[in-house]
Amino acid sequence: GSGGFRKRKHDNFPHGQRREEKENVNPSSPLMASFKSFQLELDTRHDKYERLVKLSRDITIESKRTIFLLHRFTSAPNGEEILNESEVKLDAVRRKIKQVAQELIGEDMYQFHRAISPGLQEYIEAVSFQYFIKTRSLISVEEINKQLIFTAEDREEATNVTSDSQDKQPPTCSLKVTPVDYLLGVADLTGELMRLCISSVGNGDIDTPFELSQFLRQIYDGFTFIGNTGPYEVSKKLYTLKQSLAKVENACYALKVRGSEIPKHMLADVFSSKTELIDQEEGLP
């Protein structure tokens, strides 16, 4: 009747006949040999993907620690020590990226891009944050790629790299950052610059917020040229970028209008409370 159980076509065959067909399969046939080679290839690719995911996670963690360290630059008595320590941390991150580059030798990077993209974005955010503190400008994607060219002299034994890939490793290996990863990393950088602005105000630095406001405005103008024509991830970051710019501009406005009325030791409390109010209105955590 209607709504009853529908029998599948292979249910018409007796179970004993299907069992006999399985027993009659020749494991040494060319067809079975082909499927075994496919299985080995897929298992090898999945294992490589998982290794890259773990490396990307390590790169993300170390890059975040570098960003937290760089935020101490405004309050530290000796900023050069902070920059030197951050350079050591970034060198450790680049050693992790070198392991990624060794894993991708002879492979199409875009087949594994989803595994390594989060770590690369976080690294771009960290290295561009350090570059801005040093030079007050934005690092280019070409400069980032120059730092990710590794020679055989500084090659280290990587625990996660197979012996076969080490034997086939050329004198140099490199990893190129894609334009999309670069744009996403720069978009995340704007949030760190907003936090740098608030901490600078709290330390009595009145000039840095206005400098950051102009810099963020230039980045925002560049992203608006892309608009909705670019990748979805980039256009999604535009809203967060706009909010970071608004917070910096509000801080500059308050400094310009009421800066002389607020004592310097109270500026941090004023702007931290203003930031919390803005976040509550936007529904941000």
Side-chain angles (χ1 to χ4, degrees), residues 214-268:
Q214 294 179 358
F215 183 73
L216 288 176
R217 172 57 66 179
Q218 293 175 356
I219 293 179
Y220 178 75
D221 290 343
F223 270 84
T224 53
F225 281 115
I226 301 175
N228 294 328
T229 60
Y232 171 72
E233 296 87 354
V234 176
S235 59
K236 190 170 64 173
K237 295 276 188 180
L238 189 60
Y239 177 78
T240 305
L241 197 161
K242 185 177 181 180
Q243 300 307 314
S244 298
L245 175 61
K247 292 175 185 178
V248 174
E249 289 181 338
N250 287 333
C252 293
Y253 174 79
L255 284 174
K256 197 72 173 178
V257 176
R258 299 186 55 203
S260 58
E261 303 174 3
I262 306 173
K264 287 187 177 182
H265 66 276
M266 294 179 61
L267 285 173

Tab-separated table of all heavy atoms in Angstrom, residues 214-268:
chain	number	residue	atom	x	y	z
A	214	GLN	N	44.242	58.200	10.625
A	214	GLN	CA	44.536	58.409	9.208
A	214	GLN	C	44.932	57.102	8.523
A	214	GLN	O	44.521	56.817	7.391
A	214	GLN	CB	45.653	59.444	9.063
A	214	GLN	CG	45.268	60.842	9.534
A	214	GLN	CD	46.406	61.839	9.389
A	214	GLN	OE1	47.501	61.474	8.974
A	214	GLN	NE2	46.144	63.091	9.732
A	215	PHE	N	45.731	56.284	9.231
A	215	PHE	CA	46.185	55.021	8.659
A	215	PHE	C	45.009	54.067	8.437
A	215	PHE	O	44.890	53.446	7.372
A	215	PHE	CB	47.223	54.394	9.600
A	215	PHE	CG	47.821	53.125	9.068
A	215	PHE	CD1	48.729	53.137	8.025
A	215	PHE	CD2	47.486	51.899	9.630
A	215	PHE	CE1	49.286	51.961	7.537
A	215	PHE	CE2	48.037	50.722	9.157
A	215	PHE	CZ	48.934	50.756	8.108
A	216	LEU	N	44.124	53.965	9.419
A	216	LEU	CA	42.963	53.090	9.281
A	216	LEU	C	42.008	53.592	8.208
A	216	LEU	O	41.358	52.792	7.514
A	216	LEU	CB	42.230	52.972	10.620
A	216	LEU	CG	42.940	52.152	11.702
A	216	LEU	CD1	42.152	52.202	13.002
A	216	LEU	CD2	43.115	50.715	11.252
A	217	ARG	N	41.900	54.897	8.058
A	217	ARG	CA	41.054	55.455	7.006
A	217	ARG	C	41.578	55.054	5.630
A	217	ARG	O	40.789	54.740	4.722
A	217	ARG	CB	41.001	56.972	7.155
A	217	ARG	CG	40.313	57.714	6.016
A	217	ARG	CD	38.892	57.246	5.790
A	217	ARG	NE	38.024	57.554	6.909
A	217	ARG	CZ	36.725	57.257	6.931
A	217	ARG	NH1	36.185	56.627	5.899
A	217	ARG	NH2	36.000	57.547	7.983
A	218	GLN	N	42.896	55.067	5.448
A	218	GLN	CA	43.473	54.657	4.169
A	218	GLN	C	43.201	53.180	3.881
A	218	GLN	O	42.882	52.797	2.749
A	218	GLN	CB	44.982	54.928	4.170
A	218	GLN	CG	45.342	56.403	4.197
A	218	GLN	CD	46.835	56.626	4.324
A	218	GLN	OE1	47.609	55.675	4.473
A	218	GLN	NE2	47.269	57.885	4.292
A	219	ILE	N	43.317	52.328	4.927
A	219	ILE	CA	43.035	50.906	4.736
A	219	ILE	C	41.560	50.703	4.395
A	219	ILE	O	41.209	49.919	3.499
A	219	ILE	CB	43.417	50.111	6.000
A	219	ILE	CG1	44.941	50.136	6.199
A	219	ILE	CG2	42.929	48.665	5.896
A	219	ILE	CD1	45.403	49.393	7.433
A	220	TYR	N	40.690	51.421	5.099
A	220	TYR	CA	39.256	51.282	4.837
A	220	TYR	C	38.917	51.732	3.418
A	220	TYR	O	38.106	51.082	2.733
A	220	TYR	CB	38.471	52.105	5.857
A	220	TYR	CG	36.978	52.067	5.634
A	220	TYR	CD1	36.231	50.941	5.958
A	220	TYR	CD2	36.312	53.165	5.092
A	220	TYR	CE1	34.866	50.896	5.749
A	220	TYR	CE2	34.941	53.132	4.880
A	220	TYR	CZ	34.226	51.998	5.210
A	220	TYR	OH	32.879	51.963	5.003
A	221	ASP	N	39.526	52.820	2.967
A	221	ASP	CA	39.282	53.282	1.593
A	221	ASP	C	39.729	52.227	0.580
A	221	ASP	O	39.067	52.009	-0.445
A	221	ASP	CB	40.026	54.596	1.347
A	221	ASP	CG	39.427	55.756	2.126
A	221	ASP	OD1	38.266	55.624	2.583
A	221	ASP	OD2	40.113	56.775	2.300
A	222	GLY	N	40.864	51.562	0.873
A	222	GLY	CA	41.324	50.516	-0.031
A	222	GLY	C	40.358	49.343	-0.090
A	222	GLY	O	40.086	48.804	-1.170
A	223	PHE	N	39.796	48.969	1.056
A	223	PHE	CA	38.857	47.843	1.078
A	223	PHE	C	37.540	48.206	0.400
A	223	PHE	O	36.881	47.335	-0.175
A	223	PHE	CB	38.597	47.400	2.518
A	223	PHE	CG	39.551	46.350	3.009
A	223	PHE	CD1	40.786	46.699	3.525
A	223	PHE	CD2	39.229	45.009	2.950
A	223	PHE	CE1	41.673	45.740	3.975
A	223	PHE	CE2	40.097	44.034	3.400
A	223	PHE	CZ	41.332	44.404	3.913
A	224	THR	N	37.147	49.455	0.474
A	224	THR	CA	35.890	49.852	-0.182
A	224	THR	C	35.996	49.756	-1.698
A	224	THR	O	34.982	49.570	-2.381
A	224	THR	CB	35.496	51.279	0.222
A	224	THR	OG1	36.595	52.170	-0.021
A	224	THR	CG2	35.111	51.341	1.683
A	225	PHE	N	37.214	49.887	-2.241
A	225	PHE	CA	37.384	49.709	-3.686
A	225	PHE	C	37.084	48.267	-4.087
A	225	PHE	O	36.603	48.007	-5.198
A	225	PHE	CB	38.809	50.075	-4.111
A	225	PHE	CG	39.039	51.551	-4.225
A	225	PHE	CD1	39.921	52.204	-3.372
A	225	PHE	CD2	38.382	52.308	-5.182
A	225	PHE	CE1	40.138	53.565	-3.468
A	225	PHE	CE2	38.582	53.667	-5.290
A	225	PHE	CZ	39.473	54.301	-4.426
A	226	ILE	N	37.376	47.323	-3.177
A	226	ILE	CA	37.071	45.914	-3.465
A	226	ILE	C	35.574	45.670	-3.330
A	226	ILE	O	34.939	45.102	-4.211
A	226	ILE	CB	37.864	44.992	-2.519
A	226	ILE	CG1	39.366	45.237	-2.680
A	226	ILE	CG2	37.513	43.531	-2.768
A	226	ILE	CD1	40.215	44.464	-1.704
A	227	GLY	N	35.006	46.109	-2.181
A	227	GLY	CA	33.566	46.005	-1.967
A	227	GLY	C	33.075	44.575	-2.033
A	227	GLY	O	33.714	43.642	-1.551
A	228	ASN	N	31.923	44.404	-2.660
A	228	ASN	CA	31.315	43.082	-2.788
A	228	ASN	C	31.826	42.307	-3.998
A	228	ASN	O	31.365	41.191	-4.243
A	228	ASN	CB	29.794	43.213	-2.889
A	228	ASN	CG	29.192	43.761	-1.612
A	228	ASN	OD1	29.699	43.506	-0.517
A	228	ASN	ND2	28.114	44.526	-1.748
A	229	THR	N	32.756	42.906	-4.748
A	229	THR	CA	33.277	42.211	-5.922
A	229	THR	C	34.344	41.195	-5.554
A	229	THR	O	34.663	40.325	-6.357
A	229	THR	CB	33.867	43.217	-6.924
A	229	THR	OG1	34.944	43.937	-6.285
A	229	THR	CG2	32.805	44.200	-7.380
A	230	GLY	N	34.923	41.308	-4.359
A	230	GLY	CA	35.970	40.389	-3.942
A	230	GLY	C	35.400	39.128	-3.316
A	230	GLY	O	34.188	38.888	-3.337
A	231	PRO	N	36.274	38.299	-2.745
A	231	PRO	CA	35.807	37.075	-2.074
A	231	PRO	C	34.880	37.394	-0.912
A	231	PRO	O	34.955	38.476	-0.313
A	231	PRO	CB	37.116	36.428	-1.590
A	231	PRO	CG	38.185	37.013	-2.449
A	231	PRO	CD	37.734	38.398	-2.788
A	232	TYR	N	34.038	36.429	-0.580
A	232	TYR	CA	33.047	36.638	0.480
A	232	TYR	C	33.717	36.930	1.819
A	232	TYR	O	33.246	37.781	2.577
A	232	TYR	CB	32.153	35.406	0.590
A	232	TYR	CG	31.238	35.438	1.797
A	232	TYR	CD1	30.146	36.306	1.849
A	232	TYR	CD2	31.461	34.604	2.885
A	232	TYR	CE1	29.306	36.345	2.948
A	232	TYR	CE2	30.627	34.626	3.986
A	232	TYR	CZ	29.554	35.498	4.021
A	232	TYR	OH	28.732	35.539	5.112
A	233	GLU	N	34.826	36.242	2.125
A	233	GLU	CA	35.483	36.446	3.414
A	233	GLU	C	35.988	37.877	3.552
A	233	GLU	O	35.952	38.453	4.644
A	233	GLU	CB	36.647	35.462	3.569
A	233	GLU	CG	36.239	34.002	3.617
A	233	GLU	CD	36.139	33.404	2.230
A	233	GLU	OE1	36.281	34.175	1.259
A	233	GLU	OE2	35.902	32.189	2.118
A	234	VAL	N	36.474	38.449	2.441
A	234	VAL	CA	37.002	39.816	2.497
A	234	VAL	C	35.879	40.820	2.725
A	234	VAL	O	35.997	41.735	3.554
A	234	VAL	CB	37.772	40.142	1.201
A	234	VAL	CG1	38.241	41.589	1.199
A	234	VAL	CG2	38.973	39.204	1.055
A	235	SER	N	34.779	40.683	2.005
A	235	SER	CA	33.665	41.618	2.174
A	235	SER	C	33.054	41.493	3.566
A	235	SER	O	32.547	42.479	4.117
A	235	SER	CB	32.604	41.367	1.104
A	235	SER	OG	32.118	40.040	1.182
A	236	LYS	N	33.103	40.288	4.153
A	236	LYS	CA	32.562	40.101	5.499
A	236	LYS	C	33.395	40.835	6.541
A	236	LYS	O	32.872	41.284	7.567
A	236	LYS	CB	32.504	38.611	5.822
A	236	LYS	CG	31.745	38.276	7.093
A	236	LYS	CD	31.520	36.768	7.217
A	236	LYS	CE	32.841	36.046	7.352
A	236	LYS	NZ	32.658	34.601	7.652
A	237	LYS	N	34.699	40.974	6.296
A	237	LYS	CA	35.584	41.672	7.238
A	237	LYS	C	35.383	43.186	7.195
A	237	LYS	O	35.837	43.889	8.096
A	237	LYS	CB	37.044	41.360	6.905
A	237	LYS	CG	37.446	39.910	7.092
A	237	LYS	CD	37.824	39.614	8.517
A	237	LYS	CE	38.401	38.209	8.638
A	237	LYS	NZ	38.794	37.888	10.021
A	238	LEU	N	34.751	43.684	6.144
A	238	LEU	CA	34.619	45.126	5.964
A	238	LEU	C	33.820	45.755	7.094
A	238	LEU	O	34.119	46.877	7.535
A	238	LEU	CB	33.966	45.420	4.613
A	238	LEU	CG	33.946	46.877	4.160
A	238	LEU	CD1	35.366	47.410	4.037
A	238	LEU	CD2	33.219	47.030	2.834
A	239	TYR	N	32.798	45.057	7.606
A	239	TYR	CA	31.976	45.604	8.686
A	239	TYR	C	32.802	45.762	9.964
A	239	TYR	O	32.753	46.805	10.634
A	239	TYR	CB	30.779	44.694	8.944
A	239	TYR	CG	29.913	45.134	10.102
A	239	TYR	CD1	29.005	46.172	9.967
A	239	TYR	CD2	30.028	44.522	11.350
A	239	TYR	CE1	28.229	46.589	11.040
A	239	TYR	CE2	29.253	44.924	12.415
A	239	TYR	CZ	28.353	45.960	12.256
A	239	TYR	OH	27.585	46.364	13.317
A	240	THR	N	33.585	44.736	10.313
A	240	THR	CA	34.432	44.817	11.502
A	240	THR	C	35.471	45.923	11.357
A	240	THR	O	35.765	46.643	12.322
A	240	THR	CB	35.126	43.470	11.733
A	240	THR	OG1	34.143	42.436	11.800
A	240	THR	CG2	35.915	43.479	13.027
A	241	LEU	N	36.036	46.040	10.150
A	241	LEU	CA	37.009	47.107	9.906
A	241	LEU	C	36.378	48.481	10.123
A	241	LEU	O	36.989	49.374	10.721
A	241	LEU	CB	37.555	46.969	8.482
A	241	LEU	CG	38.833	47.688	8.082
A	241	LEU	CD1	39.407	47.047	6.828
A	241	LEU	CD2	38.614	49.174	7.816
A	242	LYS	N	35.167	48.632	9.657
A	242	LYS	CA	34.468	49.917	9.810
A	242	LYS	C	34.237	50.244	11.277
A	242	LYS	O	34.356	51.406	11.705
A	242	LYS	CB	33.143	49.868	9.051
A	242	LYS	CG	32.389	51.191	9.034
A	242	LYS	CD	31.134	51.070	8.198
A	242	LYS	CE	30.385	52.405	8.145
A	242	LYS	NZ	29.145	52.296	7.320
A	243	GLN	N	33.894	49.237	12.094
A	243	GLN	CA	33.673	49.467	13.516
A	243	GLN	C	34.968	49.856	14.229
A	243	GLN	O	34.963	50.714	15.110
A	243	GLN	CB	33.062	48.209	14.160
A	243	GLN	CG	31.735	47.792	13.573
A	243	GLN	CD	30.729	48.937	13.566
A	243	GLN	OE1	30.555	49.642	14.542
A	243	GLN	NE2	30.050	49.104	12.440
A	244	SER	N	36.081	49.227	13.859
A	244	SER	CA	37.370	49.593	14.454
A	244	SER	C	37.728	51.033	14.115
A	244	SER	O	38.208	51.793	14.977
A	244	SER	CB	38.465	48.642	13.955
A	244	SER	OG	38.202	47.312	14.340
A	245	LEU	N	37.491	51.422	12.866
A	245	LEU	CA	37.755	52.807	12.471
A	245	LEU	C	36.867	53.778	13.245
A	245	LEU	O	37.324	54.840	13.675
A	245	LEU	CB	37.533	52.961	10.967
A	245	LEU	CG	37.650	54.371	10.394
A	245	LEU	CD1	39.050	54.926	10.616
A	245	LEU	CD2	37.303	54.377	8.906
A	246	ALA	N	35.602	53.418	13.454
A	246	ALA	CA	34.680	54.295	14.191
A	246	ALA	C	35.145	54.495	15.628
A	246	ALA	O	35.068	55.609	16.174
A	246	ALA	CB	33.268	53.718	14.155
A	247	LYS	N	35.647	53.446	16.267
A	247	LYS	CA	36.114	53.569	17.645
A	247	LYS	C	37.322	54.490	17.733
A	247	LYS	O	37.431	55.308	18.652
A	247	LYS	CB	36.456	52.181	18.202
A	247	LYS	CG	35.245	51.281	18.388
A	247	LYS	CD	35.654	49.886	18.813
A	247	LYS	CE	34.456	48.958	18.891
A	247	LYS	NZ	34.823	47.579	19.258
A	248	VAL	N	38.241	54.361	16.778
A	248	VAL	CA	39.425	55.234	16.779
A	248	VAL	C	39.019	56.676	16.516
A	248	VAL	O	39.524	57.607	17.159
A	248	VAL	CB	40.448	54.742	15.732
A	248	VAL	CG1	41.604	55.725	15.616
A	248	VAL	CG2	40.967	53.360	16.108
A	249	GLU	N	38.109	56.891	15.594
A	249	GLU	CA	37.672	58.262	15.293
A	249	GLU	C	36.919	58.862	16.479
A	249	GLU	O	37.046	60.065	16.747
A	249	GLU	CB	36.798	58.258	14.044
A	249	GLU	CG	37.590	57.992	12.764
A	249	GLU	CD	36.715	58.022	11.531
A	249	GLU	OE1	35.479	57.827	11.680
A	249	GLU	OE2	37.252	58.225	10.420
A	250	ASN	N	36.136	58.046	17.198
A	250	ASN	CA	35.468	58.551	18.405
A	250	ASN	C	36.479	58.952	19.466
A	250	ASN	O	36.303	59.965	20.168
A	250	ASN	CB	34.513	57.488	18.957
A	250	ASN	CG	33.268	57.338	18.115
A	250	ASN	OD1	32.847	58.274	17.445
A	250	ASN	ND2	32.680	56.151	18.133
A	251	ALA	N	37.553	58.165	19.597
A	251	ALA	CA	38.593	58.517	20.559
A	251	ALA	C	39.273	59.826	20.169
A	251	ALA	O	39.527	60.686	21.024
A	251	ALA	CB	39.613	57.388	20.655
A	252	CYS	N	39.556	59.989	18.873
A	252	CYS	CA	40.192	61.234	18.415
A	252	CYS	C	39.261	62.428	18.610
A	252	CYS	O	39.709	63.527	18.980
A	252	CYS	CB	40.584	61.102	16.938
A	252	CYS	SG	41.887	59.902	16.631
A	253	TYR	N	37.970	62.203	18.365
A	253	TYR	CA	37.001	63.284	18.561
A	253	TYR	C	36.965	63.717	20.024
A	253	TYR	O	36.970	64.913	20.339
A	253	TYR	CB	35.619	62.816	18.110
A	253	TYR	CG	34.508	63.796	18.408
A	253	TYR	CD1	34.300	64.905	17.590
A	253	TYR	CD2	33.670	63.614	19.502
A	253	TYR	CE1	33.293	65.814	17.862
A	253	TYR	CE2	32.661	64.510	19.784
A	253	TYR	CZ	32.471	65.607	18.961
A	253	TYR	OH	31.470	66.506	19.238
A	254	ALA	N	36.931	62.734	20.919
A	254	ALA	CA	36.893	63.068	22.347
A	254	ALA	C	38.168	63.773	22.786
A	254	ALA	O	38.131	64.688	23.617
A	254	ALA	CB	36.677	61.806	23.168
A	255	LEU	N	39.299	63.362	22.237
A	255	LEU	CA	40.561	64.030	22.586
A	255	LEU	C	40.582	65.468	22.079
A	255	LEU	O	41.069	66.374	22.760
A	255	LEU	CB	41.738	63.259	21.988
A	255	LEU	CG	42.152	61.962	22.684
A	255	LEU	CD1	43.238	61.260	21.886
A	255	LEU	CD2	42.651	62.256	24.094
A	256	LYS	N	40.050	65.674	20.888
A	256	LYS	CA	40.078	67.016	20.296
A	256	LYS	C	39.132	67.961	21.033
A	256	LYS	O	39.454	69.133	21.254
A	256	LYS	CB	39.678	66.921	18.822
A	256	LYS	CG	40.054	68.132	17.996
A	256	LYS	CD	41.554	68.177	17.771
A	256	LYS	CE	41.946	69.280	16.812
A	256	LYS	NZ	43.408	69.343	16.638
A	257	VAL	N	37.966	67.439	21.418
A	257	VAL	CA	36.955	68.296	22.029
A	257	VAL	C	37.144	68.412	23.537
A	257	VAL	O	37.075	69.494	24.103
A	257	VAL	CB	35.542	67.763	21.692
A	257	VAL	CG1	34.475	68.583	22.406
A	257	VAL	CG2	35.313	67.793	20.191
A	258	ARG	N	37.391	67.265	24.189
A	258	ARG	CA	37.443	67.262	25.646
A	258	ARG	C	38.794	66.855	26.193
A	258	ARG	O	38.929	66.577	27.387
A	258	ARG	CB	36.392	66.274	26.177
A	258	ARG	CG	34.968	66.622	25.802
A	258	ARG	CD	34.023	65.667	26.487
A	258	ARG	NE	34.222	65.646	27.934
A	258	ARG	CZ	33.866	64.634	28.727
A	258	ARG	NH1	33.331	63.549	28.214
A	258	ARG	NH2	34.072	64.703	30.036
A	259	GLY	N	39.806	66.822	25.341
A	259	GLY	CA	41.113	66.358	25.790
A	259	GLY	C	41.691	67.194	26.916
A	259	GLY	O	42.306	66.672	27.849
A	260	SER	N	41.483	68.511	26.864
A	260	SER	CA	42.032	69.379	27.910
A	260	SER	C	41.261	69.266	29.222
A	260	SER	O	41.775	69.638	30.282
A	260	SER	CB	42.013	70.833	27.428
A	260	SER	OG	40.693	71.234	27.101
A	261	GLU	N	40.013	68.761	29.182
A	261	GLU	CA	39.211	68.656	30.396
A	261	GLU	C	39.504	67.390	31.185
A	261	GLU	O	39.286	67.340	32.402
A	261	GLU	CB	37.718	68.685	30.035
A	261	GLU	CG	37.287	69.921	29.257
A	261	GLU	CD	35.850	69.810	28.801
A	261	GLU	OE1	35.209	68.800	29.157
A	261	GLU	OE2	35.367	70.711	28.087
A	262	ILE	N	39.976	66.311	30.504
A	262	ILE	CA	40.168	65.019	31.152
A	262	ILE	C	41.626	64.866	31.565
A	262	ILE	O	42.517	65.006	30.721
A	262	ILE	CB	39.772	63.874	30.209
A	262	ILE	CG1	38.343	64.071	29.685
A	262	ILE	CG2	39.888	62.521	30.896
A	262	ILE	CD1	37.937	63.074	28.628
A	263	PRO	N	41.917	64.609	32.827
A	263	PRO	CA	43.304	64.345	33.239
A	263	PRO	C	43.851	63.115	32.540
A	263	PRO	O	43.118	62.174	32.229
A	263	PRO	CB	43.187	64.125	34.756
A	263	PRO	CG	41.888	64.747	35.142
A	263	PRO	CD	40.984	64.609	33.966
A	264	LYS	N	45.158	63.120	32.300
A	264	LYS	CA	45.756	62.032	31.547
A	264	LYS	C	45.608	60.685	32.246
A	264	LYS	O	45.456	59.656	31.597
A	264	LYS	CB	47.244	62.325	31.284
A	264	LYS	CG	47.476	63.404	30.240
A	264	LYS	CD	48.940	63.518	29.895
A	264	LYS	CE	49.151	64.548	28.780
A	264	LYS	NZ	50.572	64.653	28.386
A	265	HIS	N	45.648	60.685	33.583
A	265	HIS	CA	45.565	59.409	34.284
A	265	HIS	C	44.145	58.828	34.252
A	265	HIS	O	43.939	57.675	34.625
A	265	HIS	CB	46.027	59.566	35.736
A	265	HIS	CG	45.113	60.437	36.565
A	265	HIS	ND1	45.222	61.814	36.572
A	265	HIS	CD2	44.076	60.134	37.396
A	265	HIS	CE1	44.299	62.326	37.385
A	265	HIS	NE2	43.591	61.318	37.891
A	266	MET	N	43.159	59.636	33.785
A	266	MET	CA	41.789	59.139	33.693
A	266	MET	C	41.377	58.810	32.259
A	266	MET	O	40.274	58.320	32.019
A	266	MET	CB	40.811	60.182	34.256
A	266	MET	CG	40.956	60.429	35.752
A	266	MET	SD	39.798	61.689	36.331
A	266	MET	CE	38.226	60.922	35.938
A	267	LEU	N	42.246	59.075	31.302
A	267	LEU	CA	41.887	58.844	29.904
A	267	LEU	C	41.604	57.366	29.629
A	267	LEU	O	40.689	57.025	28.884
A	267	LEU	CB	43.020	59.326	28.993
A	267	LEU	CG	43.141	60.842	28.828
A	267	LEU	CD1	44.395	61.181	28.040
A	267	LEU	CD2	41.916	61.425	28.156
A	268	ALA	N	42.395	56.468	30.256
A	268	ALA	CA	42.204	55.036	30.007
A	268	ALA	C	40.819	54.586	30.450
A	268	ALA	O	40.135	53.840	29.738
A	268	ALA	CB	43.280	54.230	30.727
